[in-house]
């Protein structure tokens, strides 16, 4: 009986030792959190970093200006040119106007927008007559920076096309028949320059054409003039 008891206790002790050994092996096979963290850091260091997109010309302010919407307030002067109707041509006197425009970049090299122009024109020997244009704008541009490295200014050169509707009023009479609808188109190269991220200046010079149609009381007419525009630009 004693010999059987000794064998029994020996078997129990052996089972406990085997159990502890198995548990130790299992714990050893489990990943050490600290080692796993270190291996993760090593893997992260080994992976190449994704390139950070560069801002335009290396200047974050340049990107914000280049893609910002712009409000523009302009003065327009029409010079030279002529009025043309069924009776022939007459010289066009200087035309004076003011415009409000909204310009939105849709690409680094393209912007679109809308505008409103109020102006007065004068055929030779006639009264000065008011007109109003509403138009769509399409502009191809080349933006760049100018100035020294520590002080650069955002600039752009461009070619602007405007096309829209016109309302022309014959000031010689208060007659609805002498209010003529029509259309307008113009094309003008220009230059735009920003002093900072709040205000800039622009200048344009080109050509404009307007056609007006009257129901009766006056002949339809075409106006061709060179135009010069200067104004202020306000990014937002």
């Amino acid at each position: 009986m004693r010999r059987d008891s000794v064998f029994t206790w020996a078997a129990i002790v052996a089972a406990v030792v085997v159990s502890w050994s198995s548990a130790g092996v299992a714990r050893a096979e489990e990943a050490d959190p600290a080692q796993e963290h270190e291996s993760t850091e090593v893997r992260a260091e080994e992976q190449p970093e994704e390139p950070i997109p560069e801002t335009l010309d290396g200047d974050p302010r340049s990107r914000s200006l280049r893609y910002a919407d712009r409000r523009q307030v302009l003065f327009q002067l029409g010079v030279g040119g002529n009025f043309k109707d069924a009776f022939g041509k007459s010289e066009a006197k200087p035309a004076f106007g003011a415009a409000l425009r909204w310009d939105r970049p849709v690409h680094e090299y393209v912007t679109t927008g809308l505008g409103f122009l109020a102006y007065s024109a004068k055929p030779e020997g006639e009264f000065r007559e008011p007109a109003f244009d509403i138009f769509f704008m399409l502009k191809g541009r080349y933006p760049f920076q100018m100035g020294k490295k520590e002080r650069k200014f955002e600039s752009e050169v461009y070619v602007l096309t405007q096309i829209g509707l016109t309302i022309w009023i014959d000031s010689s009479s208060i007659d609805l028949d002498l209010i003529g609808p029509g259309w307008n188109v113009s094309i003008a190269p220009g230059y735009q320059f920003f002093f900072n991220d709040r205000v800039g200046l622009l200048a344009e010079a080109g050509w404009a054409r307007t056609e007006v149609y009257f129901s009766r009381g006056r002949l339809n007419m075409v106006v061709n003039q060179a135009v010069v525009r200067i104004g202020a630009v306000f990014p937002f």
Side-chain angles (χ1 to χ4, degrees), residues 34-87:
Q35 292 178 352
E36 183 178 356
H37 179 68
E38 291 177 359
S39 62
T40 302
E41 289 182 347
V42 171
R43 288 195 300 270
E45 292 176 357
E46 292 176 352
Q47 293 178 354
E49 296 183 358
E50 295 183 0
I52 300 174
E54 294 183 359
T55 56
L56 297 172
D57 300 322
D59 184 357
R61 187 175 63 87
S62 171
R63 174 173 289 275
S64 64
L65 276 177
R66 199 164 292 185
Y67 287 95
D69 288 9
R70 297 98 179 266
R71 297 185 182 98
Q72 302 172 346
V73 181
L74 303 96
F75 168 77
Q76 176 170 302
L77 173 66
V79 293
N82 56 72
F83 283 75
K84 181 180 179 181
D85 57 23
F87 290 120

CSV table of all heavy atoms in Angstrom, one decimal, residues 34-87:
chain,number,residue,atom,x,y,z
A,34,ALA,N,6.2,44.8,-25.1
A,34,ALA,CA,7.3,45.8,-25.3
A,34,ALA,C,8.0,45.5,-26.6
A,34,ALA,O,8.3,46.3,-27.4
A,34,ALA,CB,8.2,45.8,-24.1
A,35,GLN,N,8.3,44.2,-26.7
A,35,GLN,CA,9.0,43.8,-28.0
A,35,GLN,C,8.2,44.0,-29.2
A,35,GLN,O,8.7,44.4,-30.2
A,35,GLN,CB,9.4,42.3,-27.9
A,35,GLN,CG,10.5,42.0,-26.8
A,35,GLN,CD,10.8,40.5,-26.7
A,35,GLN,OE1,10.2,39.7,-27.3
A,35,GLN,NE2,11.8,40.2,-25.9
A,36,GLU,N,6.9,43.7,-29.1
A,36,GLU,CA,6.0,44.0,-30.2
A,36,GLU,C,6.0,45.4,-30.6
A,36,GLU,O,6.0,45.8,-31.8
A,36,GLU,CB,4.6,43.5,-29.9
A,36,GLU,CG,3.6,43.6,-31.0
A,36,GLU,CD,2.3,43.0,-30.7
A,36,GLU,OE1,2.1,42.5,-29.6
A,36,GLU,OE2,1.4,43.1,-31.5
A,37,HIS,N,5.9,46.3,-29.6
A,37,HIS,CA,5.9,47.8,-29.8
A,37,HIS,C,7.2,48.2,-30.5
A,37,HIS,O,7.2,49.0,-31.5
A,37,HIS,CB,5.7,48.5,-28.5
A,37,HIS,CG,5.7,50.0,-28.7
A,37,HIS,ND1,4.7,50.7,-29.3
A,37,HIS,CD2,6.7,50.9,-28.3
A,37,HIS,CE1,5.0,52.0,-29.3
A,37,HIS,NE2,6.2,52.1,-28.7
A,38,GLU,N,8.3,47.6,-30.0
A,38,GLU,CA,9.6,47.9,-30.6
A,38,GLU,C,9.7,47.5,-32.1
A,38,GLU,O,10.1,48.2,-33.0
A,38,GLU,CB,10.7,47.3,-29.8
A,38,GLU,CG,10.9,48.0,-28.4
A,38,GLU,CD,12.0,47.3,-27.7
A,38,GLU,OE1,12.6,46.3,-28.2
A,38,GLU,OE2,12.3,47.7,-26.5
A,39,SER,N,9.1,46.3,-32.3
A,39,SER,CA,9.2,45.8,-33.7
A,39,SER,C,8.3,46.6,-34.6
A,39,SER,O,8.6,46.8,-35.8
A,39,SER,CB,8.7,44.3,-33.7
A,39,SER,OG,7.4,44.1,-33.2
A,40,THR,N,7.1,47.1,-34.1
A,40,THR,CA,6.2,47.9,-34.9
A,40,THR,C,6.9,49.2,-35.2
A,40,THR,O,6.8,49.7,-36.4
A,40,THR,CB,5.0,48.2,-34.1
A,40,THR,OG1,4.3,47.0,-33.7
A,40,THR,CG2,4.0,49.1,-34.9
A,41,GLU,N,7.7,49.8,-34.2
A,41,GLU,CA,8.4,51.0,-34.5
A,41,GLU,C,9.5,50.8,-35.6
A,41,GLU,O,9.7,51.6,-36.5
A,41,GLU,CB,9.0,51.6,-33.3
A,41,GLU,CG,8.0,52.1,-32.3
A,41,GLU,CD,8.7,52.7,-31.0
A,41,GLU,OE1,10.0,52.4,-30.9
A,41,GLU,OE2,8.1,53.4,-30.3
A,42,VAL,N,10.1,49.6,-35.5
A,42,VAL,CA,11.2,49.3,-36.5
A,42,VAL,C,10.6,49.2,-37.9
A,42,VAL,O,11.1,49.7,-38.9
A,42,VAL,CB,11.9,48.0,-36.1
A,42,VAL,CG1,12.8,47.6,-37.3
A,42,VAL,CG2,12.7,48.2,-34.8
A,43,ARG,N,9.4,48.5,-38.0
A,43,ARG,CA,8.7,48.3,-39.2
A,43,ARG,C,8.3,49.7,-39.8
A,43,ARG,O,8.3,50.0,-41.0
A,43,ARG,CB,7.5,47.4,-39.1
A,43,ARG,CG,7.9,45.9,-38.9
A,43,ARG,CD,6.7,45.0,-39.2
A,43,ARG,NE,5.6,45.3,-38.3
A,43,ARG,CZ,5.5,44.7,-37.1
A,43,ARG,NH1,6.4,43.8,-36.7
A,43,ARG,NH2,4.5,45.0,-36.3
A,44,ALA,N,7.8,50.6,-38.9
A,44,ALA,CA,7.4,51.9,-39.3
A,44,ALA,C,8.5,52.7,-39.8
A,44,ALA,O,8.4,53.4,-40.8
A,44,ALA,CB,6.7,52.6,-38.2
A,45,GLU,N,9.7,52.5,-39.2
A,45,GLU,CA,10.9,53.3,-39.6
A,45,GLU,C,11.3,52.7,-41.0
A,45,GLU,O,11.9,53.5,-41.8
A,45,GLU,CB,12.0,53.2,-38.6
A,45,GLU,CG,11.7,53.9,-37.3
A,45,GLU,CD,12.8,53.7,-36.3
A,45,GLU,OE1,13.7,53.0,-36.6
A,45,GLU,OE2,12.7,54.3,-35.2
A,46,GLU,N,11.2,51.4,-41.2
A,46,GLU,CA,11.6,50.8,-42.4
A,46,GLU,C,10.8,51.2,-43.6
A,46,GLU,O,11.3,51.3,-44.7
A,46,GLU,CB,11.7,49.3,-42.3
A,46,GLU,CG,12.7,48.8,-41.3
A,46,GLU,CD,12.7,47.3,-41.1
A,46,GLU,OE1,11.7,46.7,-41.6
A,46,GLU,OE2,13.6,46.8,-40.5
A,47,GLN,N,9.5,51.5,-43.4
A,47,GLN,CA,8.6,51.8,-44.5
A,47,GLN,C,8.9,53.3,-45.0
A,47,GLN,O,9.0,54.2,-44.2
A,47,GLN,CB,7.1,51.8,-44.0
A,47,GLN,CG,6.7,50.4,-43.7
A,47,GLN,CD,5.2,50.4,-43.2
A,47,GLN,OE1,4.6,51.4,-43.0
A,47,GLN,NE2,4.7,49.2,-43.0
A,48,PRO,N,9.0,53.5,-46.2
A,48,PRO,CA,9.2,54.8,-46.8
A,48,PRO,C,8.1,55.8,-46.5
A,48,PRO,O,6.9,55.4,-46.6
A,48,PRO,CB,9.4,54.6,-48.3
A,48,PRO,CG,8.7,53.3,-48.5
A,48,PRO,CD,8.8,52.5,-47.3
A,49,GLU,N,8.4,57.0,-46.1
A,49,GLU,CA,7.4,58.0,-45.9
A,49,GLU,C,6.8,58.5,-47.2
A,49,GLU,O,7.4,58.6,-48.2
A,49,GLU,CB,7.9,59.2,-45.1
A,49,GLU,CG,8.5,58.8,-43.7
A,49,GLU,CD,9.0,60.0,-43.0
A,49,GLU,OE1,8.9,61.1,-43.6
A,49,GLU,OE2,9.4,59.9,-41.8
A,50,GLU,N,5.4,58.7,-47.1
A,50,GLU,CA,4.8,59.3,-48.3
A,50,GLU,C,5.2,60.7,-48.5
A,50,GLU,O,5.3,61.5,-47.5
A,50,GLU,CB,3.2,59.2,-48.1
A,50,GLU,CG,2.7,57.8,-48.1
A,50,GLU,CD,1.2,57.7,-48.0
A,50,GLU,OE1,0.6,58.8,-48.0
A,50,GLU,OE2,0.6,56.6,-47.9
A,51,PRO,N,5.5,61.1,-49.7
A,51,PRO,CA,5.9,62.5,-49.9
A,51,PRO,C,4.8,63.5,-49.6
A,51,PRO,O,3.6,63.2,-49.9
A,51,PRO,CB,6.2,62.5,-51.5
A,51,PRO,CG,5.4,61.4,-52.0
A,51,PRO,CD,5.4,60.3,-50.9
A,52,ILE,N,5.2,64.5,-49.0
A,52,ILE,CA,4.2,65.6,-48.6
A,52,ILE,C,4.0,66.5,-49.8
A,52,ILE,O,5.0,67.0,-50.4
A,52,ILE,CB,4.7,66.4,-47.4
A,52,ILE,CG1,4.9,65.5,-46.2
A,52,ILE,CG2,3.8,67.6,-47.1
A,52,ILE,CD1,5.6,66.2,-45.0
A,53,PRO,N,2.8,66.7,-50.2
A,53,PRO,CA,2.5,67.6,-51.4
A,53,PRO,C,3.1,69.0,-51.2
A,53,PRO,O,2.9,69.6,-50.1
A,53,PRO,CB,1.0,67.6,-51.5
A,53,PRO,CG,0.5,66.4,-50.8
A,53,PRO,CD,1.5,66.2,-49.7
A,54,GLU,N,3.8,69.4,-52.1
A,54,GLU,CA,4.4,70.8,-52.0
A,54,GLU,C,3.4,71.8,-52.3
A,54,GLU,O,2.5,71.6,-53.2
A,54,GLU,CB,5.6,70.9,-52.9
A,54,GLU,CG,6.8,70.0,-52.6
A,54,GLU,CD,7.9,70.3,-53.5
A,54,GLU,OE1,7.8,71.1,-54.4
A,54,GLU,OE2,9.0,69.7,-53.3
A,55,THR,N,3.4,73.0,-51.6
A,55,THR,CA,2.6,74.1,-51.9
A,55,THR,C,3.1,74.7,-53.2
A,55,THR,O,4.2,74.5,-53.6
A,55,THR,CB,2.5,75.1,-50.8
A,55,THR,OG1,3.8,75.5,-50.5
A,55,THR,CG2,1.9,74.4,-49.5
A,56,LEU,N,2.3,75.5,-53.8
A,56,LEU,CA,2.7,76.2,-55.0
A,56,LEU,C,3.8,77.2,-54.7
A,56,LEU,O,3.8,78.0,-53.8
A,56,LEU,CB,1.5,77.0,-55.6
A,56,LEU,CG,0.3,76.2,-56.0
A,56,LEU,CD1,-0.8,77.1,-56.4
A,56,LEU,CD2,0.7,75.3,-57.2
A,57,ASP,N,4.9,77.0,-55.4
A,57,ASP,CA,6.1,77.8,-55.3
A,57,ASP,C,6.7,77.7,-53.9
A,57,ASP,O,7.4,78.6,-53.4
A,57,ASP,CB,5.9,79.2,-55.6
A,57,ASP,CG,5.4,79.4,-57.1
A,57,ASP,OD1,5.9,78.7,-57.9
A,57,ASP,OD2,4.5,80.2,-57.3
A,58,GLY,N,6.3,76.6,-53.1
A,58,GLY,CA,6.8,76.5,-51.8
A,58,GLY,C,6.2,77.5,-50.8
A,58,GLY,O,6.7,77.6,-49.7
A,59,ASP,N,5.1,78.2,-51.1
A,59,ASP,CA,4.6,79.2,-50.3
A,59,ASP,C,3.1,78.9,-50.0
A,59,ASP,O,2.3,79.0,-51.0
A,59,ASP,CB,4.7,80.6,-51.0
A,59,ASP,CG,4.2,81.7,-50.1
A,59,ASP,OD1,3.7,81.4,-49.0
A,59,ASP,OD2,4.3,82.9,-50.5
A,60,PRO,N,2.7,78.5,-48.8
A,60,PRO,CA,1.3,78.2,-48.5
A,60,PRO,C,0.4,79.4,-48.9
A,60,PRO,O,-0.8,79.2,-49.3
A,60,PRO,CB,1.2,77.9,-47.0
A,60,PRO,CG,2.7,77.5,-46.7
A,60,PRO,CD,3.5,78.3,-47.6
A,61,ARG,N,0.8,80.6,-48.6
A,61,ARG,CA,0.0,81.8,-48.9
A,61,ARG,C,-0.3,81.9,-50.4
A,61,ARG,O,-1.4,82.3,-50.9
A,61,ARG,CB,0.7,83.1,-48.4
A,61,ARG,CG,-0.1,84.3,-48.6
A,61,ARG,CD,0.6,85.5,-48.0
A,61,ARG,NE,1.8,85.8,-48.7
A,61,ARG,CZ,1.9,86.6,-49.8
A,61,ARG,NH1,0.8,87.1,-50.2
A,61,ARG,NH2,3.0,86.8,-50.4
A,62,SER,N,0.7,81.5,-51.2
A,62,SER,CA,0.5,81.5,-52.7
A,62,SER,C,-0.6,80.6,-53.1
A,62,SER,O,-1.4,80.9,-53.9
A,62,SER,CB,1.8,81.1,-53.4
A,62,SER,OG,1.6,80.9,-54.7
A,63,ARG,N,-0.7,79.4,-52.5
A,63,ARG,CA,-1.8,78.5,-52.8
A,63,ARG,C,-3.1,79.1,-52.5
A,63,ARG,O,-4.1,79.0,-53.2
A,63,ARG,CB,-1.6,77.1,-52.1
A,63,ARG,CG,-2.7,76.2,-52.3
A,63,ARG,CD,-2.4,74.8,-51.7
A,63,ARG,NE,-1.4,74.1,-52.5
A,63,ARG,CZ,-1.7,73.4,-53.5
A,63,ARG,NH1,-2.9,73.2,-54.0
A,63,ARG,NH2,-0.7,72.7,-54.2
A,64,SER,N,-3.3,79.7,-51.3
A,64,SER,CA,-4.6,80.2,-50.8
A,64,SER,C,-5.0,81.3,-51.8
A,64,SER,O,-6.2,81.5,-52.1
A,64,SER,CB,-4.5,80.7,-49.4
A,64,SER,OG,-3.5,81.8,-49.3
A,65,LEU,N,-4.0,82.2,-52.2
A,65,LEU,CA,-4.4,83.3,-53.1
A,65,LEU,C,-4.7,82.8,-54.5
A,65,LEU,O,-5.7,83.2,-55.1
A,65,LEU,CB,-3.2,84.3,-53.2
A,65,LEU,CG,-3.1,85.3,-52.1
A,65,LEU,CD1,-1.9,86.2,-52.3
A,65,LEU,CD2,-4.3,86.2,-52.1
A,66,ARG,N,-4.0,81.8,-54.9
A,66,ARG,CA,-4.1,81.3,-56.3
A,66,ARG,C,-5.5,80.6,-56.5
A,66,ARG,O,-6.0,80.7,-57.6
A,66,ARG,CB,-3.0,80.4,-56.6
A,66,ARG,CG,-2.7,80.2,-58.1
A,66,ARG,CD,-1.4,79.6,-58.4
A,66,ARG,NE,-0.3,80.5,-58.1
A,66,ARG,CZ,1.0,80.2,-58.3
A,66,ARG,NH1,1.3,79.0,-58.8
A,66,ARG,NH2,1.9,81.1,-58.0
A,67,TYR,N,-6.0,80.0,-55.5
A,67,TYR,CA,-7.3,79.3,-55.6
A,67,TYR,C,-8.4,80.0,-54.9
A,67,TYR,O,-9.5,79.4,-54.8
A,67,TYR,CB,-7.1,77.9,-55.1
A,67,TYR,CG,-6.3,77.0,-56.1
A,67,TYR,CD1,-5.0,76.9,-55.9
A,67,TYR,CD2,-6.9,76.4,-57.1
A,67,TYR,CE1,-4.2,76.1,-56.8
A,67,TYR,CE2,-6.2,75.7,-58.0
A,67,TYR,CZ,-4.8,75.5,-57.8
A,67,TYR,OH,-4.1,74.7,-58.7
A,68,ALA,N,-8.2,81.2,-54.4
A,68,ALA,CA,-9.3,82.0,-53.7
A,68,ALA,C,-10.3,82.6,-54.7
A,68,ALA,O,-9.8,83.0,-55.8
A,68,ALA,CB,-8.7,83.0,-52.8
A,69,ASP,N,-11.5,82.7,-54.4
A,69,ASP,CA,-12.5,83.5,-55.2
A,69,ASP,C,-12.1,85.0,-55.0
A,69,ASP,O,-11.5,85.4,-54.0
A,69,ASP,CB,-13.9,83.3,-54.6
A,69,ASP,CG,-14.5,81.9,-55.0
A,69,ASP,OD1,-13.7,81.1,-55.5
A,69,ASP,OD2,-15.7,81.7,-54.8
A,70,ARG,N,-12.4,85.7,-56.1
A,70,ARG,CA,-12.0,87.2,-56.1
A,70,ARG,C,-13.2,88.0,-56.4
A,70,ARG,O,-14.0,87.7,-57.4
A,70,ARG,CB,-10.9,87.4,-57.1
A,70,ARG,CG,-9.6,86.7,-56.9
A,70,ARG,CD,-9.5,85.5,-57.7
A,70,ARG,NE,-8.2,84.8,-57.5
A,70,ARG,CZ,-7.1,84.9,-58.2
A,70,ARG,NH1,-7.2,85.8,-59.2
A,70,ARG,NH2,-6.1,84.3,-58.0
A,71,ARG,N,-13.4,89.1,-55.7
A,71,ARG,CA,-14.3,90.2,-56.0
A,71,ARG,C,-13.5,91.3,-56.7
A,71,ARG,O,-12.4,91.6,-56.2
A,71,ARG,CB,-15.0,90.7,-54.8
A,71,ARG,CG,-15.9,89.7,-54.1
A,71,ARG,CD,-16.7,90.5,-53.0
A,71,ARG,NE,-17.5,89.6,-52.2
A,71,ARG,CZ,-17.1,89.0,-51.0
A,71,ARG,NH1,-15.9,89.3,-50.5
A,71,ARG,NH2,-17.9,88.2,-50.4
A,72,GLN,N,-14.0,91.8,-57.8
A,72,GLN,CA,-13.3,92.8,-58.6
A,72,GLN,C,-14.2,94.0,-58.8
A,72,GLN,O,-15.4,93.9,-59.2
A,72,GLN,CB,-12.8,92.2,-59.9
A,72,GLN,CG,-12.0,91.0,-59.8
A,72,GLN,CD,-11.7,90.3,-61.1
A,72,GLN,OE1,-12.3,90.6,-62.1
A,72,GLN,NE2,-10.7,89.4,-61.1
A,73,VAL,N,-13.6,95.2,-58.6
A,73,VAL,CA,-14.3,96.4,-58.8
A,73,VAL,C,-13.5,97.2,-59.8
A,73,VAL,O,-12.3,97.5,-59.6
A,73,VAL,CB,-14.4,97.3,-57.5
A,73,VAL,CG1,-15.2,98.6,-57.8
A,73,VAL,CG2,-15.2,96.5,-56.5
A,74,LEU,N,-14.1,97.5,-61.0
A,74,LEU,CA,-13.3,98.1,-62.1
A,74,LEU,C,-13.9,99.4,-62.7
A,74,LEU,O,-15.1,99.6,-62.6
A,74,LEU,CB,-13.2,97.1,-63.3
A,74,LEU,CG,-12.6,95.7,-63.0
A,74,LEU,CD1,-13.7,94.7,-62.7
A,74,LEU,CD2,-11.8,95.2,-64.2
A,75,PHE,N,-13.0,100.2,-63.3
A,75,PHE,CA,-13.4,101.3,-64.1
A,75,PHE,C,-13.1,100.9,-65.5
A,75,PHE,O,-12.0,100.4,-65.8
A,75,PHE,CB,-12.6,102.6,-63.7
A,75,PHE,CG,-12.8,103.7,-64.7
A,75,PHE,CD1,-14.0,104.4,-64.7
A,75,PHE,CD2,-11.8,104.0,-65.5
A,75,PHE,CE1,-14.1,105.5,-65.6
A,75,PHE,CE2,-11.9,105.0,-66.5
A,75,PHE,CZ,-13.0,105.8,-66.5
A,76,GLN,N,-14.0,101.2,-66.4
A,76,GLN,CA,-13.8,100.8,-67.9
A,76,GLN,C,-13.9,102.1,-68.7
A,76,GLN,O,-14.8,102.9,-68.6
A,76,GLN,CB,-14.8,99.8,-68.3
A,76,GLN,CG,-14.7,99.5,-69.8
A,76,GLN,CD,-15.6,98.3,-70.2
A,76,GLN,OE1,-15.4,97.2,-69.7
A,76,GLN,NE2,-16.5,98.5,-71.2
A,77,LEU,N,-12.9,102.2,-69.6
A,77,LEU,CA,-12.9,103.3,-70.6
A,77,LEU,C,-12.9,102.7,-72.0
A,77,LEU,O,-12.1,101.9,-72.3
A,77,LEU,CB,-11.7,104.2,-70.4
A,77,LEU,CG,-11.4,105.2,-71.4
A,77,LEU,CD1,-12.5,106.3,-71.4
A,77,LEU,CD2,-10.0,105.9,-71.3
A,78,GLY,N,-13.9,103.2,-72.8
A,78,GLY,CA,-14.0,102.8,-74.2
A,78,GLY,C,-13.4,103.9,-75.1
A,78,GLY,O,-13.8,105.1,-74.9
A,79,VAL,N,-12.5,103.6,-76.0
A,79,VAL,CA,-11.9,104.6,-76.8
A,79,VAL,C,-11.9,104.2,-78.3
A,79,VAL,O,-11.9,103.0,-78.6
A,79,VAL,CB,-10.4,104.8,-76.4
A,79,VAL,CG1,-10.4,105.5,-75.0
A,79,VAL,CG2,-9.6,103.6,-76.4
A,80,GLY,N,-12.0,105.2,-79.1
A,80,GLY,CA,-12.0,104.9,-80.6
A,80,GLY,C,-13.2,104.2,-81.0
A,80,GLY,O,-14.3,104.2,-80.4
A,81,GLY,N,-13.1,103.5,-82.1
A,81,GLY,CA,-14.2,102.7,-82.6
A,81,GLY,C,-15.3,103.4,-83.3
A,81,GLY,O,-15.2,104.6,-83.6
A,82,ASN,N,-16.4,102.7,-83.5
A,82,ASN,CA,-17.5,103.4,-84.2
A,82,ASN,C,-18.9,102.7,-83.9
A,82,ASN,O,-19.0,101.6,-83.3
A,82,ASN,CB,-17.3,103.2,-85.7
A,82,ASN,CG,-17.1,101.8,-86.1
A,82,ASN,OD1,-18.0,101.0,-86.2
A,82,ASN,ND2,-15.8,101.4,-86.5
A,83,PHE,N,-19.9,103.5,-84.2
A,83,PHE,CA,-21.3,103.0,-84.2
A,83,PHE,C,-21.7,102.7,-85.7
A,83,PHE,O,-21.4,103.5,-86.6
A,83,PHE,CB,-22.3,104.0,-83.7
A,83,PHE,CG,-22.2,104.2,-82.2
A,83,PHE,CD1,-21.2,104.8,-81.5
A,83,PHE,CD2,-23.3,103.7,-81.4
A,83,PHE,CE1,-21.1,104.9,-80.2
A,83,PHE,CE2,-23.3,103.8,-80.0
A,83,PHE,CZ,-22.2,104.4,-79.4
A,84,LYS,N,-22.4,101.6,-85.9
A,84,LYS,CA,-22.8,101.2,-87.3
A,84,LYS,C,-24.2,100.8,-87.3
A,84,LYS,O,-24.7,100.0,-86.5
A,84,LYS,CB,-21.9,100.1,-87.8
A,84,LYS,CG,-22.2,99.6,-89.2
A,84,LYS,CD,-21.3,98.5,-89.6
A,84,LYS,CE,-21.6,98.0,-91.0
A,84,LYS,NZ,-20.8,96.8,-91.4
A,85,ASP,N,-25.0,101.4,-88.2
A,85,ASP,CA,-26.4,101.0,-88.4
A,85,ASP,C,-26.7,101.0,-90.0
A,85,ASP,O,-25.7,101.1,-90.8
A,85,ASP,CB,-27.4,102.0,-87.7
A,85,ASP,CG,-27.2,103.4,-88.1
A,85,ASP,OD1,-26.7,103.7,-89.2
A,85,ASP,OD2,-27.6,104.3,-87.3
A,86,ALA,N,-27.9,101.0,-90.3
A,86,ALA,CA,-28.3,100.9,-91.8
A,86,ALA,C,-27.8,102.1,-92.6
A,86,ALA,O,-27.6,102.0,-93.8
A,86,ALA,CB,-29.8,100.7,-91.9
A,87,PHE,N,-27.6,103.3,-91.9
A,87,PHE,CA,-27.2,104.5,-92.6
A,87,PHE,C,-25.7,104.6,-92.7
A,87,PHE,O,-25.2,105.5,-93.4
A,87,PHE,CB,-27.7,105.7,-91.9
A,87,PHE,CG,-29.2,105.9,-92.0
A,87,PHE,CD1,-30.0,105.9,-90.8
A,87,PHE,CD2,-29.8,106.0,-93.2
A,87,PHE,CE1,-31.4,106.0,-90.9
A,87,PHE,CE2,-31.2,106.1,-93.3
A,87,PHE,CZ,-32.0,106.1,-92.2
